[in-house]
Amino acid sequence: MGKVTATYLVHDKKGNLNKKAEDIALGLTVGSWTNLPQLEKDQLEKHKGTVESVTELESDSAADQYLGSSRTKGLLKISYPAANFSPDLPAILTTVFGKLSLDGEIKLVDLELGKSLAQQFPGPKFGVDGIREKLDVYNRPLVMSIFKGVLGKDLEFFKEQLRQQSLGGVDLVKDDEILFENPLTPFEERITAAKQVLSETETITGEKTLYAVNLTGRSRNLRDKARRAVELGANALLFNVLSYGPDILQELAEDKEISVPIMAHPALAGAAGSSALYGISYSVLLGKILRWSGADLGLFPSPYGSVALKREEALGISNALTEESAVHRAAFPVPSAGIHPGLVPQLFSDFGINSVINAGGGIHGHPDGAAGGARAFRQAVDAAVSGVSLDVAALTNKELGTALELWGGVAAK
Amino acid sequence: MGKVTATYLVHDKKGNLNKKAEDIALGLTVGSWTNLPQLEKDQLEKHKGTVESVTELESDSAADQYLGSSRTKGLLKISYPAANFSPDLPAILTTVFGKLSLDGEIKLVDLELGKSLAQQFPGPKFGVDGIREKLDVYNRPLVMSIFKGVLGKDLEFFKEQLRQQSLGGVDLVKDDEILFENPLTPFEERITAAKQVLSETETITGEKTLYAVNLTGRSRNLRDKARRAVELGANALLFNVLSYGPDILQELAEDKEISVPIMAHPALAGAAGSSALYGISYSVLLGKILRWSGADLGLFPSPYGSVALKREEALGISNALTEESAVHRAAFPVPSAGIHPGLVPQLFSDFGINSVINAGGGIHGHPDGAAGGARAFRQAVDAAVSGVSLDVAALTNKELGTALELWGGVAAK
């Protein structure tokens, strides 16, 4: 059945990283070892955790000062036999970072599943290739936009906003993650309205648009609600996975009747991901875990907006969603927040062709409205893919020119 | 329908806390306000977030130094109309700390539900009073112990360990949280074996013992698994709630057929709770949210062991679990980790009569075995409740004397 291997970043008080690693490897598995009788050792051998490596890092004086004592910084890599837990994420997370998460300055920075264990997880049902097939778009990053200000507005407002975004050429539109079940734009009515609008715009543009409706409510109802959404013609789902738990995402991904891509929103991720000393790294939290659980698209803050991750964190998530795997399809990385057309070359350079350019204000705030905003993004994407500078592209692309005037252009580093 | 009120601790770069609070209150609800036409204002008024208070705190030079710039530290209290979300925790958490959790140095330190909203949550099904009734113990803190080293051992080992703990007089015994479904001690067999052992020990001691079996596996199976556990005679459940999500705990608590107390384990809580700058305070994470969701007992690290919380954090959790509420029963606080009999007066002084004294090594490491360890705890509890010092009590209580010799005694501060 294999094993799971966790890597921890520690800022340790006691200074003996080898002992700390050994204490963790035993403490989270068989408890103790050295003084056990041979008979018990034989019995427990297959359950014993293993220290894979211990790497001392250069000490971090800023952290030491903040923590008020000199610490030994290092990476501890420890593996846990799969015989110890059931093959589900709640069991794995409880094993590798349950009690341990409470034990001082320790951060879970990587998590690897052995192949047989990885095969217990579905991964994306569609992923990059499946979504490209649905959209029939293969040669560029996708463009996505976000509904703005639907809360408190009626279905006509919703429909008109969707129409404009789709006419402008976005590939995907998502609900705002804080739009829940409500009397003005109920879940089922948003789906049927969107289906009608998007079939109209497709006849005009010749392009498909996926609308990710926000799947919300009590856990027990999600599966049926998602199935019902698909029956009604929904073509994608948005899901606030961390406010439910990754196992719930996995259940949705495993359900064959929920035959549409699932977009994972990073809501709440900052609670565990923000600290350099504690918690779970974003590449694990928003990358690996969400891909294993079956997210087809994973949103995260880009390094460039007002709500921003560090560049290496954003790239770490993107890498985790897309890196070569013999088991799981690649998921689309969706760097988000504060994106305007001028950032497209940088995003393309960072995240590559298999990524999604996602904007809210950068679409809706365009002087020519959401349709103009969407066109400006498509123009910027075409320029980036062709290696044409935005300034040059703007000469023959009006909406892009307007966007660059408003927000400026950023050359890729 | 009321509102939810969140309090955030911020270390803000820009120095204008009032503006920051206003930006949050609008940004997480209606988006913008000042420049809206009156018609839209009328339409959106009931969805608009409200800044309840802004309190600047003394600046924290250690944090400033660590963060590399001078920050304005403060508490922002913001309320969100319940009209904006469905009355479930995933929606509430996404609303108050979804995107916001990713926005720099911000920590969710308090969360309050208006009464009508609070009534949407079950709270503990049994709580302090219900568990006392089950045990017929009213006049002292309860004593609990933890199985040790069951992983890789067979059912006979499990039964003998349970017997010793119960004979010594513990009120509750819990599985290790890292004991999952396994061939040597399967879930259902642990339940039936425990039922038999505990009915035998009850005839000897005249006292009941609750055994909290670890409810694990895939989310979709938990309800049926818990119901089956109850049918088989389980009298309590242990649940790693944060590796699933609080809504799953709530579903278990709401199920009338799951008619046994649920003990919430704090596994993973450190990921969001450890940092002073980011995440969610323990009083919210392990206190309020778990009580609303229906935990009857809430475990957390005591301030006194090797894995320890700050004293004010531990007291904050305990207070959140027990404070007067017109809506929800009080849950038992269970300060844990590194507890030995010598700490009982301090724990009694901190957490009061309605708490659970919980030990692993402090029970099993007793020279007279687990039964002796349990007796030492019961003796220490009786002494603390009667206001007798442990030293005096040890004169007539052999096991307590042995424990104090080994671990020492700590007078309550």
Side-chain angles (χ1 to χ4, degrees), chain A residues 214-385:
Chain A
N214 198 17
L215 181 67
T216 68
R218 298 298 307 275
S219 304
R220 78 163 76 86
N221 301 326
L222 293 174
R223 192 187 65 164
D224 287 347
K225 204 169 166 186
R227 288 180 172 189
R228 176 83 183 129
V230 173
E231 271 173 28
L232 290 170
N235 56 16
L237 298 170
L238 174 70
F239 190 50
N240 291 313
V241 50
L242 299 177
S243 66
Y244 288 93
D247 190 60
I248 302 285
L249 170 60
Q250 185 178 334
E251 291 187 355
L252 297 170
E254 284 167 341
D255 192 312
K256 287 196 176 58
E257 292 184 38
I258 304 173
S259 55
V260 298
I262 303 175
M263 188 182 290
H265 194 276
L268 275 188
S274 294
S275 171
L277 305 172
Y278 313 96
I280 303 177
S281 73
Y282 286 116
S283 63
V284 172
L285 194 63
L286 294 178
K288 290 193 167 188
I289 289 178
L290 296 194
R291 184 179 178 188
W292 297 336
S293 313
D296 295 287
L297 305 108
L299 276 75
F300 53 91
S302 88
Y304 306 111
S306 56
V307 176
L309 295 189
K310 287 184 190 132
R311 187 158 174 273
E312 70 266 24
E313 290 179 321
L315 292 175
I317 297 168
S318 177
N319 185 54
L321 292 173
T322 57
E323 67 188 342
E324 196 58 35
S325 158
V327 181
H328 296 135
R329 291 187 183 85
F332 262 118
V334 190
S336 304
I339 304 299
H340 57 78
L343 284 166
V344 167
Q346 182 65 56
L347 292 169
F348 180 62
S349 155
D350 285 346
F351 301 101
I353 195 161
N354 286 328
S355 67
V356 179
I357 312 277
N358 177 32
I363 297 265
H364 298 283
H366 193 283
D368 300 337
R375 273 192 282 275
F377 271 100
R378 286 288 298 273
Q379 293 159 1
V381 165
D382 288 344
V385 170

Side-chain angles (χ1 to χ4, degrees), chain A residues 3 19 55 59 64 70 74 79 121 159 169 222 234 240-241 245 319 333 352 357 360 369 396:
Chain A
K3 61 183 182 178
K19 181 175 182 312
T55 311
S59 68
D64 287 359
S70 159
S79 65
F121 295 90
K159 283 163 73 172
L222 293 174
N240 291 313
V241 50
N319 185 54
I357 312 277
T396 52

Side-chain angles (χ1 to χ4, degrees), chain A residues 120-311:
Chain A
Q120 307 287 317
F121 295 90
K125 205 182 286 170
F126 297 91
V128 169
D129 293 344
I131 291 170
R132 286 200 177 285
E133 254 176 64
K134 279 185 179 287
L135 292 167
D136 197 24
V137 173
Y138 300 94
N139 48 9
R140 59 167 174 82
L142 304 181
V143 174
M144 172 165 144
S145 63
I146 309 167
F147 277 98
K148 192 179 152 74
V150 173
L151 183 67
K153 302 291 177 60
D154 62 16
L155 210 58
E156 284 311 310
F157 178 90
F158 167 88
K159 283 163 73 172
E160 185 50 27
Q161 204 176 91
L162 180 61
R163 193 183 331 269
Q164 292 307 317
Q165 293 170 94
S166 177
L167 285 175
V170 301
D171 304 295
L172 305 106
V173 186
K174 68 171 266 290
D175 269 340
D176 198 342
E177 82 280 2
I178 55 169
L179 187 71
F180 301 99
E181 200 50 274
N182 74 90
L184 291 172
T185 54
F187 180 74
E188 297 200 358
E189 291 187 30
R190 295 206 301 283
I191 294 167
T192 48
K195 189 184 172 188
Q196 182 213 325
V197 168
L198 296 179
S199 96
E200 286 164 22
T201 57
E202 190 183 347
T203 63
I204 299 169
T205 65
E207 293 181 342
K208 285 200 190 304
T209 310
L210 300 180
Y211 159 57
V213 63
N214 198 17
L215 181 67
T216 68
R218 298 298 307 275
S219 304
R220 78 163 76 86
N221 301 326
L222 293 174
R223 192 187 65 164
D224 287 347
K225 204 169 166 186
R227 288 180 172 189
R228 176 83 183 129
V230 173
E231 271 173 28
L232 290 170
N235 56 16
L237 298 170
L238 174 70
F239 190 50
N240 291 313
V241 50
L242 299 177
S243 66
Y244 288 93
D247 190 60
I248 302 285
L249 170 60
Q250 185 178 334
E251 291 187 355
L252 297 170
E254 284 167 341
D255 192 312
K256 287 196 176 58
E257 292 184 38
I258 304 173
S259 55
V260 298
I262 303 175
M263 188 182 290
H265 194 276
L268 275 188
S274 294
S275 171
L277 305 172
Y278 313 96
I280 303 177
S281 73
Y282 286 116
S283 63
V284 172
L285 194 63
L286 294 178
K288 290 193 167 188
I289 289 178
L290 296 194
R291 184 179 178 188
W292 297 336
S293 313
D296 295 287
L297 305 108
L299 276 75
F300 53 91
S302 88
Y304 306 111
S306 56
V307 176
L309 295 189
K310 287 184 190 132
R311 187 158 174 273

Side-chain angles (χ1 to χ4, degrees), chain A residues 28 40 44 95 98-99 101 151 153 177-178 180 218-220 244 247 250-251 254 268 270 274 278, chain B residues 28 40 44 95 97-99 101 151 153 177-178 180 218-220 244 247 250-251 254 268 270 278:
Chain A
L28 299 186
E40 275 199 69
L44 295 178
T95 296
K99 200 183 306 191
S101 74
L151 183 67
K153 302 291 177 60
E177 82 280 2
I178 55 169
F180 301 99
R218 298 298 307 275
S219 304
R220 78 163 76 86
Y244 288 93
D247 190 60
Q250 185 178 334
E251 291 187 355
E254 284 167 341
L268 275 188
S274 294
Y278 313 96
Chain B
L28 298 185
E40 275 198 69
L44 294 178
T95 297
F97 206 52
K99 200 182 308 191
S101 74
L151 183 66
K153 302 291 178 60
E177 82 281 1
I178 56 168
F180 301 100
R218 300 297 307 278
S219 304
R220 77 163 78 84
Y244 288 93
D247 189 60
Q250 185 178 335
E251 291 186 358
E254 284 167 343
L268 275 189
Y278 313 97

